[in-house]
Amino acid sequence: MLPEIPQTLYYLLSAVLFTVGAVGVITRRNAIVIFMCIELMLNAVNLSFITSGSFLNSLDGTIFVIFIMAVAAAEAAVGLAIFVLIFRLKGTVHVDDFNLLKG
């Protein structure tokens, strides 16, 4: 069980983390930093699910978190492999320099 901290503080922390991640995705140009900001957003959602599950005395939130963590681990492995390949090809990981989808 979570200690006696009001539920709204957990949701507030989750919202702040999600906002920081969203701002990072929008404003940053380095692909790895954008990737880390997406992971931060996923962790904010995980915190929200854990909080909801704990305060509702349900395991549903925990099950969602385990699923999200599995997807995030797979995303990290594939994403980092793509970034390594792009770095080898282009010599940079700045998203402004990517034009691989242009014909």
Side-chain angles (χ1 to χ4, degrees):
M1 294 298 296
L2 297 174
E4 296 298 324
I5 298 175
Q7 185 179 6
T8 55
L9 291 180
Y10 288 108
Y11 288 128
L12 180 66
L13 177 63
S14 176
V16 168
L17 289 175
F18 192 87
T19 303
V20 168
V23 168
V25 167
I26 293 170
T27 61
R28 302 302 293 225
R29 301 288 65 150
N30 189 327
I32 295 175
V33 173
I34 292 172
F35 193 69
M36 289 172 32
C37 289
I38 292 172
E39 294 293 327
L40 184 63
M41 292 167 61
L42 286 174
N43 285 328
V45 171
N46 285 343
L47 178 63
S48 178
F49 277 133
I50 289 290
T51 302
S52 297
S54 176
F55 282 101
L56 295 174
N57 291 327
S58 173
L59 287 177
D60 293 342
T62 305
I63 292 170
F64 275 117
V65 167
I66 291 170
F67 179 73
I68 289 171
M69 288 174 66
V71 171
E75 172 210 348
V78 173
L80 289 176
I82 290 171
F83 294 147
V84 168
L85 288 175
I86 288 175
F87 184 77
R88 287 182 181 170
L89 183 67
K90 298 286 184 178
T92 182
V93 289
H94 289 275
V95 293
D96 292 334
D97 297 334
F98 297 166
N99 58 0
L100 298 175
L101 296 180
K102 292 181 181 175

